[in-house]
Amino acid sequence: METVLSGIRPTGNLHLGNYFGAIKNFIRMQDEYNCYFFIADYHSLTTHPHPENLQQNVKQVLVEYLASGINPETATIYVQSDLPETAELYLFLNMNAYLGELERCTTFKDKVRKHPENVNAGLLTYPTLMAADILIHKADKVPVGNDQKPHLELTRLFASRFNRMYGIDYFKEPEAYNFDETLVKIPGLDGSTKMGKSEGNAIYLNDEPEMIRKKIMRAKTDAGPTAENQPKSPEVMNLFTLMKYVSSPDTLAFFEQSYNNCSIRYGDMKKQLAEDVINVCEPVRMRINDLSNNTTYLEKVMRDGAEKARINARKTLSQVREIIGFKN
Ligand code: TRP
C-alpha cells in the first residue's frame, strides 16, 4: 500500500474551505492509503508563537481533524515534535542544502517581502524540515497545494542528492498527490475566490449558528439581475457555489431559477444558505466540543500516533546514520 503524508501548521481554527477541500480528501484517502497526518508544530516556530498558543493550536487542529472524520484507527495522526528523529534528519539534510537554492525558493522570498523583520534561519530551512517530515516515512505521495509545490521539488532534490552522494538508492522521490479535479474550492463571503483565514472571509467549523447567520447575511451581493439568464457577479456566484456544497439539489435549483427569472431575493437565499451551512457545521461543532473536553482520549490519540510514527522514524534514522558513517 502506498504511503501518503500531509502536514498542517497549527495556526488556528479550520474553516469550511479546509473541510470541503483537503479534509474531505483525507477522509477518502485514509481507507485507500497508508496515511500519516501530522501537526507541524516545529514549523510553526518560524513565526514565534506564544507557548500557550502553540499548545492550544496543536490541540485545536487535532480536535477538529477528529471531529471532521479523520479516523485515528486507520490513519496515523501525530504531532511533529513527538518525533525528535525529524529534527535529527533535518540536521543531516541541512548539510547538503545550499544557501542559493533555499534563498531562491519562492515561498522564502515571499516571507522576506512580507516580514523583513523576521527572516530567521528556520524560515530559510523550512523546506529542509519539510523534506525531513516526508523522507522519514519514505512517503510516496504528498498532497500539496500550489503554494507548497516548491517545497516538494526541493524534497525530491534533497532525496536524490543524498542518494548520489552516498552512492545508494535509499530515499525515494515523493510525488505530488494531485487532487486538483477532486479538490473543492470554497469561495469567500466577500466575492474572492478563496475562503481563507488570512483573507478574513471564513466560516469556521466551530462557529456558533448565530455567528454563521451573521456572516452569511453580511456576505456581499449585487443589485440583482435585471434581465433573464444574466451572468452572475463574482459575489453572487460565490453564494451559489457554497450552496452547491451545503444545500439540497432542489434548493439550489429553486434559487437558480429565481435568479434566472429575476425574482430572486438575496436575503431569502442567504437565510436558506445559512441554515444549510449550520446543518453541516453543527454536528462537527458538537463533536469539537465533546472532544475538547476529553483530554484523556486526545492524549491517547497523540501517544498512539507518535508511537506508530516513531517506528518508521527510528528505522530511517538508524539507517541514515549508518549510511552517513555514524555508528548506531
Ligand atoms: N508547509 C506545510 C504548510 O504550511 C505544512 C507541512 C509541514 C507539510 N511539513 C509538511 C505538508 C510535509 C506536507 C508534507 O501547509
Side-chain angles (χ1 to χ4, degrees):
M1 200 190 272
E2 282 189 312
T3 296
V4 167
L5 171 135
S6 179
I8 181 170
R9 258 176 312 130
T11 53
N13 298 326
L14 301 177
H15 52 69
L16 271 187
N18 302 126
Y19 182 73
F20 282 108
I23 297 179
K24 286 276 182 207
N25 276 287
F26 291 167
I27 291 168
R28 222 169 20 81
M29 289 158 111
Q30 64 187 355
D31 297 320
E32 285 169 42
Y33 297 96
N34 179 23
C35 285
Y36 290 91
F37 301 125
F38 73 96
I39 303 171
D41 57 349
Y42 282 151
H43 273 107
S44 69
L45 294 181
T46 52
T47 57
H48 306 157
H50 189 280
E52 269 161 38
N53 293 342
L54 181 63
Q55 288 276 324
Q56 182 51 39
N57 285 339
V58 167
K59 179 180 168 192
Q60 196 65 26
V61 174
L62 176 68
V63 163
E64 296 191 355
Y65 263 11
L66 297 171
S68 304
I70 295 187
N71 179 357
E73 305 287 325
T74 344
T76 306
I77 305 176
Y78 67 95
V79 180
Q80 186 185 32
S81 62
D82 283 337
L83 254 67
E85 290 82 3
T86 306
E88 193 177 352
L89 184 55
Y90 165 66
L91 182 150
F92 293 149
L93 293 175
N94 266 333
M95 300 300 168
N96 302 309
Y98 291 93
L99 183 60
E101 61 201 8
L102 293 169
E103 278 179 334
R104 269 195 305 278
C105 193
T106 47
T107 49
F108 178 69
K109 288 198 282 194
D110 257 14
K111 293 279 187 213
V112 173
R113 206 172 327 112
K114 286 193 194 136
H115 305 283
E117 77 296 345
N118 182 26
V119 185
N120 59 66
L123 213 50
L124 180 71
T125 56
Y126 188 109
T128 333
L129 183 53
M130 193 157 148
D133 294 326
I134 298 169
L135 298 177
I136 212 161
H137 292 299
K138 316 241 175 69
D140 298 289
K141 293 193 158 69
V142 181
V144 280
N146 280 331
D147 59 323
Q148 298 293 315
K149 286 212 172 115
H151 297 158
L152 194 64
E153 275 317 306
L154 281 174
T155 303
R156 295 164 56 86
L157 180 66
F158 296 153
S160 62
R161 184 176 290 157
F162 182 95
N163 292 349
R164 211 169 336 101
M165 176 142 196
Y166 295 103
I168 179 172
D169 192 16
Y170 183 68
F171 284 126
K172 49 181 149 186
E173 292 182 42
E175 281 172 42
Y177 182 96
N178 218 336
F179 39 44
D180 270 349
E181 325 86 72
T182 48
L183 189 64
V184 166
K185 289 202 181 62
I186 296 293
L189 298 173
D190 55 354
S192 69
T193 52
K194 192 172 160 245
M195 181 177 280
K197 187 165 38 213
S198 43
E199 286 80 0
N201 59 12
I203 295 171
Y204 294 96
L205 293 178
N206 69 346
D207 275 349
E208 301 203 354
E210 235 359 85
M211 176 61 89
I212 294 176
R213 286 191 193 103
K214 224 161 81 192
K215 285 181 176 174
I216 292 183
M217 295 316 285
R218 271 203 314 249
K220 285 191 190 157
T221 52
D222 56 23
T226 50
E228 285 195 4
N229 301 317
Q230 193 175 303
K232 299 184 182 91
S233 64
E235 291 82 1
V236 171
M237 193 62 206
N238 283 356
L239 293 182
F240 276 95
T241 305
L242 189 53
M243 188 166 249
K244 193 166 88 193
Y245 294 109
V246 297
S247 305
S248 74
D250 287 352
T251 305
L252 180 65
F254 171 81
F255 286 103
E256 286 281 3
Q257 196 189 19
S258 57
Y259 181 88
N260 286 331
N261 67 24
C262 304
S263 67
I264 193 163
R265 292 204 311 223
Y266 291 139
D268 293 345
M269 179 182 181
K270 287 175 169 183
K271 271 192 199 132
Q272 179 67 47
L273 182 60
E275 294 318 304
D276 294 339
V277 167
I278 290 168
N279 270 334
V280 170
C281 291
E282 260 316 84
V284 181
R285 192 173 72 89
M286 293 296 164
R287 287 196 292 272
I288 291 174
N289 287 346
D290 284 349
L291 284 161
S292 298
N293 297 321
N294 201 341
T295 313
T296 321
Y297 176 69
L298 296 177
E299 280 170 359
K300 180 175 158 32
V301 169
M302 282 195 279
R303 207 168 40 240
D304 290 354
E307 216 166 274
K308 269 200 274 174
R310 275 193 98 173
I311 296 173
N312 273 345
R314 287 211 188 89
K315 188 164 149 216
T316 303
L317 260 294
S318 111
Q319 292 166 341
V320 165
R321 274 192 294 254
E322 195 161 321
I323 294 168
I324 290 180
F326 289 120
K327 288 206 171 64
N328 275 309

